[in-house]
Amino acid sequence: QVQLVESGGGLVQAGGSLSLSCAASGLTVIRNAMGWFRQAPGKAREFVAAIDWSLLSIYRDSVKGRFTISRDNAKNTVYLQMNSLKPEETAVYFCAARSSISLTRAESDYAYWGQGTQVTVSS
Protein backbone atom coordinates (compact mmCIF):
# COMPACT_ATOMS: atom_id res chain seq x y z
CA GLN A 1 0.00 0.00 0.00
CA VAL A 2 1.45 3.32 -1.07
CA GLN A 3 1.38 6.17 1.38
CA LEU A 4 2.63 9.71 0.94
CA VAL A 5 2.72 11.88 4.03
CA GLU A 6 3.42 15.59 3.70
CA SER A 7 4.70 17.81 6.47
CA GLY A 8 6.25 21.22 6.91
CA GLY A 9 3.38 23.48 6.04
CA GLY A 10 2.46 26.48 8.13
CA LEU A 11 2.08 30.22 8.27
CA VAL A 12 4.81 32.45 6.88
CA GLN A 13 5.06 36.11 5.96
CA ALA A 14 5.46 37.19 2.36
CA GLY A 15 9.08 36.84 1.33
CA GLY A 16 9.66 34.05 3.80
CA SER A 17 10.58 30.41 3.31
CA LEU A 18 9.17 27.00 4.08
CA SER A 19 10.43 23.51 3.44
CA LEU A 20 7.91 20.76 2.77
CA SER A 21 8.65 17.06 3.12
CA CYS A 22 6.93 14.05 1.63
CA ALA A 23 7.71 10.72 3.25
CA ALA A 24 6.88 7.79 1.01
CA SER A 25 6.13 4.20 1.90
CA GLY A 26 5.08 1.35 -0.34
CA LEU A 27 7.18 2.71 -3.19
CA THR A 28 10.74 3.81 -3.75
CA VAL A 29 11.13 7.47 -4.69
CA ILE A 30 14.11 6.75 -6.91
CA ARG A 31 11.97 4.48 -9.10
CA ASN A 32 9.03 6.83 -9.41
CA ALA A 33 8.71 10.35 -10.70
CA MET A 34 7.60 12.48 -7.75
CA GLY A 35 5.78 15.76 -7.89
CA TRP A 36 4.32 18.60 -5.90
CA PHE A 37 1.00 20.23 -6.69
CA ARG A 38 -1.02 22.91 -4.94
CA GLN A 39 -4.62 23.94 -4.70
CA ALA A 40 -5.72 27.38 -3.61
CA PRO A 41 -9.24 27.97 -2.29
CA GLY A 42 -11.75 27.96 -5.11
CA LYS A 43 -9.15 27.07 -7.72
CA ALA A 44 -8.08 23.95 -9.55
CA ARG A 45 -5.08 21.99 -8.41
CA GLU A 46 -1.95 23.02 -10.29
CA PHE A 47 1.48 21.59 -10.94
CA VAL A 48 4.40 23.03 -8.99
CA ALA A 49 7.46 20.82 -9.51
CA ALA A 50 8.56 17.26 -10.24
CA ILE A 51 11.74 15.20 -10.07
CA ASP A 52 12.73 11.96 -11.73
CA TRP A 53 15.14 9.11 -11.03
CA SER A 54 18.06 11.00 -12.54
CA LEU A 55 17.36 14.11 -10.43
CA LEU A 56 16.10 15.93 -13.49
CA SER A 57 13.50 18.41 -12.32
CA ILE A 58 10.84 20.60 -13.86
CA TYR A 59 8.95 23.58 -12.43
CA ARG A 60 6.00 25.77 -13.21
CA ASP A 61 7.30 29.07 -14.57
CA SER A 62 6.12 31.19 -11.66
CA VAL A 63 8.25 29.31 -9.10
CA LYS A 64 11.46 28.91 -11.09
CA GLY A 65 14.41 30.29 -9.17
CA ARG A 66 12.48 30.33 -5.88
CA PHE A 67 11.42 26.71 -5.33
CA THR A 68 13.66 23.66 -5.34
CA ILE A 69 12.55 20.05 -5.41
CA SER A 70 14.95 17.43 -4.09
CA ARG A 71 15.05 13.85 -2.98
CA ASP A 72 16.74 11.83 -0.23
CA ASN A 73 16.86 8.23 -1.38
CA ALA A 74 17.99 6.90 1.98
CA LYS A 75 14.99 8.46 3.69
CA ASN A 76 12.67 7.76 0.76
CA THR A 77 11.56 11.36 1.05
CA VAL A 78 11.01 14.21 -1.38
CA TYR A 79 11.33 17.85 -0.42
CA LEU A 80 10.14 21.19 -1.70
CA GLN A 81 12.12 24.18 -0.55
CA MET A 82 10.10 27.35 -1.10
CA ASN A 83 11.73 30.76 -0.87
CA SER A 84 10.41 34.27 -1.43
CA LEU A 85 6.86 33.11 -0.92
CA LYS A 86 3.97 35.25 -2.11
CA PRO A 87 0.48 35.60 -0.63
CA GLU A 88 -1.05 34.20 -3.83
CA GLU A 89 0.83 30.97 -3.16
CA THR A 90 -1.36 30.24 -0.20
CA ALA A 91 -2.70 26.76 -0.88
CA VAL A 92 -2.80 23.17 0.18
CA TYR A 93 0.34 21.54 -1.18
CA PHE A 94 0.15 17.92 -2.26
CA CYS A 95 2.86 15.36 -2.87
CA ALA A 96 2.22 12.92 -5.71
CA ALA A 97 3.92 9.91 -7.24
CA ARG A 98 3.77 8.33 -10.65
CA SER A 99 3.91 4.65 -11.50
CA SER A 100 6.61 5.65 -13.96
CA ILE A 101 10.05 7.22 -13.94
CA SER A 102 9.28 9.90 -16.51
CA LEU A 103 8.44 13.50 -15.65
CA THR A 104 5.12 15.10 -16.38
CA ARG A 105 3.13 18.14 -15.31
CA ALA A 106 -0.23 16.47 -15.80
CA GLU A 107 -2.16 15.79 -12.63
CA SER A 108 -3.87 12.80 -14.24
CA ASP A 109 -0.50 11.09 -14.73
CA TYR A 110 0.08 10.78 -10.99
CA ALA A 111 -1.34 7.66 -9.40
CA TYR A 112 -0.68 8.31 -5.73
CA TRP A 113 -1.42 11.37 -3.62
CA GLY A 114 -0.84 12.56 -0.11
CA GLN A 115 -3.42 14.31 2.02
CA GLY A 116 -1.79 17.69 1.61
CA THR A 117 -0.29 20.27 3.91
CA GLN A 118 -1.54 23.84 4.28
CA VAL A 119 0.77 26.70 3.39
CA THR A 120 -0.46 30.18 4.27
CA VAL A 121 1.50 33.24 3.19
CA SER A 122 0.45 36.46 4.88
CA SER A 123 0.93 39.86 3.28
Side-chain angles (χ1 to χ4, degrees):
Q1 181 180 359
V2 175
Q3 283 193 317
L4 303 175
V5 180
E6 303 97 335
S7 61
L11 174 64
V12 65
Q13 288 188 333
S17 299
L18 279 176
S19 181
L20 305 183
S21 300
C22 172
S25 59
L27 59 78
T28 305
V29 295
I30 195 173
R31 296 177 182 171
N32 300 76
M34 303 293 296
W36 286 95
F37 289 75
R38 65 189 180 191
Q39 186 168 21
K43 295 187 177 181
R45 190 152 54 184
E46 63 183 20
F47 171 79
V48 176
I51 189 168
D52 76 358
W53 65 276
S54 68
L55 298 181
L56 177 66
S57 57
I58 55 174
Y59 298 89
R60 73 179 297 108
D61 287 346
S62 64
V63 308
K64 287 179 181 177
R66 298 186 297 116
F67 289 15
T68 303
I69 188 170
S70 61
R71 191 183 67 221
D72 185 328
N73 296 335
K75 295 182 178 179
N76 213 34
T77 297
V78 177
Y79 304 94
L80 184 68
Q81 176 65 41
M82 305 184 294
N83 299 326
S84 302
L85 282 160
K86 304 174 182 179
E88 56 266 35
E89 294 178 316
T90 293
V92 177
Y93 283 70
F94 297 89
C95 176
R98 294 199 68 199
S99 298
S100 168
I101 60 173
S102 59
L103 291 175
T104 175
R105 291 176 170 83
E107 179 181 348
S108 59
D109 288 338
Y110 289 80
Y112 307 104
W113 293 84
Q115 292 298 308
T117 185
Q118 176 71 46
V119 171
T120 302
V121 186
S122 63
S123 58

PDB file of all heavy atoms in Angstrom, residues 24-42:
ATOM      1  N   ALA A  24       7.565   8.806   1.792  1.00  0.00           N
ATOM      2  CA  ALA A  24       6.880   7.789   1.008  1.00  0.00           C
ATOM      3  C   ALA A  24       7.081   6.404   1.608  1.00  0.00           C
ATOM      4  O   ALA A  24       8.155   6.080   2.110  1.00  0.00           O
ATOM      5  CB  ALA A  24       7.389   7.798  -0.424  1.00  0.00           C
ATOM      6  N   SER A  25       6.043   5.605   1.537  1.00  0.00           N
ATOM      7  CA  SER A  25       6.135   4.197   1.899  1.00  0.00           C
ATOM      8  C   SER A  25       5.335   3.411   0.872  1.00  0.00           C
ATOM      9  O   SER A  25       4.404   3.919   0.264  1.00  0.00           O
ATOM     10  CB  SER A  25       5.602   3.944   3.305  1.00  0.00           C
ATOM     11  OG  SER A  25       4.254   4.350   3.412  1.00  0.00           O
ATOM     12  N   GLY A  26       5.755   2.174   0.659  1.00  0.00           N
ATOM     13  CA  GLY A  26       5.083   1.347  -0.342  1.00  0.00           C
ATOM     14  C   GLY A  26       5.590   1.571  -1.750  1.00  0.00           C
ATOM     15  O   GLY A  26       5.135   0.907  -2.688  1.00  0.00           O
ATOM     16  N   LEU A  27       6.500   2.511  -1.913  1.00  0.00           N
ATOM     17  CA  LEU A  27       7.180   2.715  -3.191  1.00  0.00           C
ATOM     18  C   LEU A  27       8.541   3.309  -2.894  1.00  0.00           C
ATOM     19  O   LEU A  27       8.787   3.811  -1.799  1.00  0.00           O
ATOM     20  CB  LEU A  27       6.386   3.610  -4.142  1.00  0.00           C
ATOM     21  CG  LEU A  27       6.025   5.043  -3.721  1.00  0.00           C
ATOM     22  CD1 LEU A  27       7.209   5.997  -3.867  1.00  0.00           C
ATOM     23  CD2 LEU A  27       4.875   5.557  -4.567  1.00  0.00           C
ATOM     24  N   THR A  28       9.402   3.268  -3.898  1.00  0.00           N
ATOM     25  CA  THR A  28      10.742   3.812  -3.746  1.00  0.00           C
ATOM     26  C   THR A  28      10.861   5.059  -4.597  1.00  0.00           C
ATOM     27  O   THR A  28      10.669   4.999  -5.814  1.00  0.00           O
ATOM     28  CB  THR A  28      11.794   2.776  -4.200  1.00  0.00           C
ATOM     29  OG1 THR A  28      11.575   1.558  -3.468  1.00  0.00           O
ATOM     30  CG2 THR A  28      13.191   3.284  -3.924  1.00  0.00           C
ATOM     31  N   VAL A  29      11.175   6.185  -3.974  1.00  0.00           N
ATOM     32  CA  VAL A  29      11.131   7.467  -4.692  1.00  0.00           C
ATOM     33  C   VAL A  29      12.091   7.500  -5.863  1.00  0.00           C
ATOM     34  O   VAL A  29      11.871   8.215  -6.837  1.00  0.00           O
ATOM     35  CB  VAL A  29      11.383   8.656  -3.743  1.00  0.00           C
ATOM     36  CG1 VAL A  29      10.265   8.756  -2.725  1.00  0.00           C
ATOM     37  CG2 VAL A  29      12.735   8.576  -3.070  1.00  0.00           C
ATOM     38  N   ILE A  30      13.161   6.710  -5.804  1.00  0.00           N
ATOM     39  CA  ILE A  30      14.109   6.749  -6.915  1.00  0.00           C
ATOM     40  C   ILE A  30      13.540   6.056  -8.147  1.00  0.00           C
ATOM     41  O   ILE A  30      13.998   6.276  -9.264  1.00  0.00           O
ATOM     42  CB  ILE A  30      15.454   6.123  -6.508  1.00  0.00           C
ATOM     43  CG1 ILE A  30      16.541   6.489  -7.511  1.00  0.00           C
ATOM     44  CG2 ILE A  30      15.322   4.601  -6.375  1.00  0.00           C
ATOM     45  CD1 ILE A  30      17.931   6.052  -7.116  1.00  0.00           C
ATOM     46  N   ARG A  31      12.534   5.233  -7.976  1.00  0.00           N
ATOM     47  CA  ARG A  31      11.969   4.484  -9.098  1.00  0.00           C
ATOM     48  C   ARG A  31      10.684   5.106  -9.631  1.00  0.00           C
ATOM     49  O   ARG A  31      10.082   4.576 -10.559  1.00  0.00           O
ATOM     50  CB  ARG A  31      11.699   3.042  -8.663  1.00  0.00           C
ATOM     51  CG  ARG A  31      12.963   2.289  -8.301  1.00  0.00           C
ATOM     52  CD  ARG A  31      12.649   0.894  -7.817  1.00  0.00           C
ATOM     53  NE  ARG A  31      13.851   0.170  -7.412  1.00  0.00           N
ATOM     54  CZ  ARG A  31      13.850  -0.993  -6.793  1.00  0.00           C
ATOM     55  NH1 ARG A  31      12.702  -1.589  -6.511  1.00  0.00           N
ATOM     56  NH2 ARG A  31      14.984  -1.577  -6.466  1.00  0.00           N
ATOM     57  N   ASN A  32      10.277   6.184  -9.004  1.00  0.00           N
ATOM     58  CA  ASN A  32       9.034   6.829  -9.412  1.00  0.00           C
ATOM     59  C   ASN A  32       9.257   8.328  -9.564  1.00  0.00           C
ATOM     60  O   ASN A  32       9.896   8.942  -8.713  1.00  0.00           O
ATOM     61  CB  ASN A  32       7.944   6.604  -8.367  1.00  0.00           C
ATOM     62  CG  ASN A  32       7.622   5.153  -8.150  1.00  0.00           C
ATOM     63  OD1 ASN A  32       8.372   4.428  -7.511  1.00  0.00           O
ATOM     64  ND2 ASN A  32       6.498   4.719  -8.684  1.00  0.00           N
ATOM     65  N   ALA A  33       8.717   8.891 -10.610  1.00  0.00           N
ATOM     66  CA  ALA A  33       8.712  10.346 -10.695  1.00  0.00           C
ATOM     67  C   ALA A  33       7.826  10.882  -9.578  1.00  0.00           C
ATOM     68  O   ALA A  33       6.731  10.364  -9.338  1.00  0.00           O
ATOM     69  CB  ALA A  33       8.185  10.795 -12.052  1.00  0.00           C
ATOM     70  N   MET A  34       8.309  11.892  -8.896  1.00  0.00           N
ATOM     71  CA  MET A  34       7.601  12.475  -7.753  1.00  0.00           C
ATOM     72  C   MET A  34       7.308  13.938  -8.040  1.00  0.00           C
ATOM     73  O   MET A  34       8.146  14.639  -8.625  1.00  0.00           O
ATOM     74  CB  MET A  34       8.473  12.370  -6.494  1.00  0.00           C
ATOM     75  CG  MET A  34       8.896  10.956  -6.137  1.00  0.00           C
ATOM     76  SD  MET A  34       7.536   9.914  -5.619  1.00  0.00           S
ATOM     77  CE  MET A  34       7.014  10.759  -4.126  1.00  0.00           C
ATOM     78  N   GLY A  35       6.149  14.385  -7.617  1.00  0.00           N
ATOM     79  CA  GLY A  35       5.780  15.764  -7.891  1.00  0.00           C
ATOM     80  C   GLY A  35       5.120  16.447  -6.723  1.00  0.00           C
ATOM     81  O   GLY A  35       4.698  15.809  -5.754  1.00  0.00           O
ATOM     82  N   TRP A  36       5.066  17.768  -6.840  1.00  0.00           N
ATOM     83  CA  TRP A  36       4.316  18.601  -5.900  1.00  0.00           C
ATOM     84  C   TRP A  36       3.283  19.396  -6.687  1.00  0.00           C
ATOM     85  O   TRP A  36       3.590  19.937  -7.759  1.00  0.00           O
ATOM     86  CB  TRP A  36       5.244  19.570  -5.168  1.00  0.00           C
ATOM     87  CG  TRP A  36       6.095  18.940  -4.122  1.00  0.00           C
ATOM     88  CD1 TRP A  36       7.384  18.500  -4.259  1.00  0.00           C
ATOM     89  CD2 TRP A  36       5.734  18.679  -2.760  1.00  0.00           C
ATOM     90  NE1 TRP A  36       7.841  17.972  -3.070  1.00  0.00           N
ATOM     91  CE2 TRP A  36       6.853  18.084  -2.129  1.00  0.00           C
ATOM     92  CE3 TRP A  36       4.580  18.890  -2.005  1.00  0.00           C
ATOM     93  CZ2 TRP A  36       6.839  17.701  -0.792  1.00  0.00           C
ATOM     94  CZ3 TRP A  36       4.571  18.514  -0.676  1.00  0.00           C
ATOM     95  CH2 TRP A  36       5.687  17.924  -0.079  1.00  0.00           C
ATOM     96  N   PHE A  37       2.087  19.444  -6.135  1.00  0.00           N
ATOM     97  CA  PHE A  37       1.002  20.229  -6.693  1.00  0.00           C
ATOM     98  C   PHE A  37       0.453  21.110  -5.578  1.00  0.00           C
ATOM     99  O   PHE A  37       0.749  20.895  -4.400  1.00  0.00           O
ATOM    100  CB  PHE A  37      -0.112  19.310  -7.214  1.00  0.00           C
ATOM    101  CG  PHE A  37       0.258  18.546  -8.462  1.00  0.00           C
ATOM    102  CD1 PHE A  37       1.122  17.463  -8.401  1.00  0.00           C
ATOM    103  CD2 PHE A  37      -0.255  18.909  -9.693  1.00  0.00           C
ATOM    104  CE1 PHE A  37       1.467  16.755  -9.544  1.00  0.00           C
ATOM    105  CE2 PHE A  37       0.079  18.214 -10.846  1.00  0.00           C
ATOM    106  CZ  PHE A  37       0.940  17.129 -10.767  1.00  0.00           C
ATOM    107  N   ARG A  38      -0.364  22.080  -5.941  1.00  0.00           N
ATOM    108  CA  ARG A  38      -1.017  22.911  -4.935  1.00  0.00           C
ATOM    109  C   ARG A  38      -2.402  23.284  -5.400  1.00  0.00           C
ATOM    110  O   ARG A  38      -2.683  23.336  -6.597  1.00  0.00           O
ATOM    111  CB  ARG A  38      -0.185  24.168  -4.647  1.00  0.00           C
ATOM    112  CG  ARG A  38      -0.073  25.125  -5.829  1.00  0.00           C
ATOM    113  CD  ARG A  38       0.935  26.219  -5.517  1.00  0.00           C
ATOM    114  NE  ARG A  38       1.068  27.151  -6.629  1.00  0.00           N
ATOM    115  CZ  ARG A  38       2.028  28.069  -6.718  1.00  0.00           C
ATOM    116  NH1 ARG A  38       2.954  28.174  -5.761  1.00  0.00           N
ATOM    117  NH2 ARG A  38       2.068  28.882  -7.753  1.00  0.00           N
ATOM    118  N   GLN A  39      -3.245  23.541  -4.408  1.00  0.00           N
ATOM    119  CA  GLN A  39      -4.615  23.936  -4.702  1.00  0.00           C
ATOM    120  C   GLN A  39      -5.017  25.067  -3.775  1.00  0.00           C
ATOM    121  O   GLN A  39      -5.101  24.878  -2.547  1.00  0.00           O
ATOM    122  CB  GLN A  39      -5.577  22.761  -4.552  1.00  0.00           C
ATOM    123  CG  GLN A  39      -6.993  23.075  -4.995  1.00  0.00           C
ATOM    124  CD  GLN A  39      -7.845  21.835  -5.107  1.00  0.00           C
ATOM    125  OE1 GLN A  39      -7.563  20.802  -4.528  1.00  0.00           O
ATOM    126  NE2 GLN A  39      -8.908  21.936  -5.886  1.00  0.00           N
ATOM    127  N   ALA A  40      -5.260  26.212  -4.358  1.00  0.00           N
ATOM    128  CA  ALA A  40      -5.718  27.375  -3.609  1.00  0.00           C
ATOM    129  C   ALA A  40      -7.233  27.311  -3.477  1.00  0.00           C
ATOM    130  O   ALA A  40      -7.911  26.662  -4.287  1.00  0.00           O
ATOM    131  CB  ALA A  40      -5.294  28.644  -4.329  1.00  0.00           C
ATOM    132  N   PRO A  41      -7.785  27.980  -2.478  1.00  0.00           N
ATOM    133  CA  PRO A  41      -9.241  27.972  -2.290  1.00  0.00           C
ATOM    134  C   PRO A  41      -9.972  28.421  -3.543  1.00  0.00           C
ATOM    135  O   PRO A  41      -9.657  29.465  -4.117  1.00  0.00           O
ATOM    136  CB  PRO A  41      -9.446  28.957  -1.144  1.00  0.00           C
ATOM    137  CG  PRO A  41      -8.155  28.949  -0.406  1.00  0.00           C
ATOM    138  CD  PRO A  41      -7.092  28.755  -1.435  1.00  0.00           C
ATOM    139  N   GLY A  42     -10.936  27.609  -3.969  1.00  0.00           N
ATOM    140  CA  GLY A  42     -11.753  27.964  -5.113  1.00  0.00           C
ATOM    141  C   GLY A  42     -11.082  27.797  -6.460  1.00  0.00           C
ATOM    142  O   GLY A  42     -11.651  28.169  -7.489  1.00  0.00           O
TER     143      GLY A  42
END
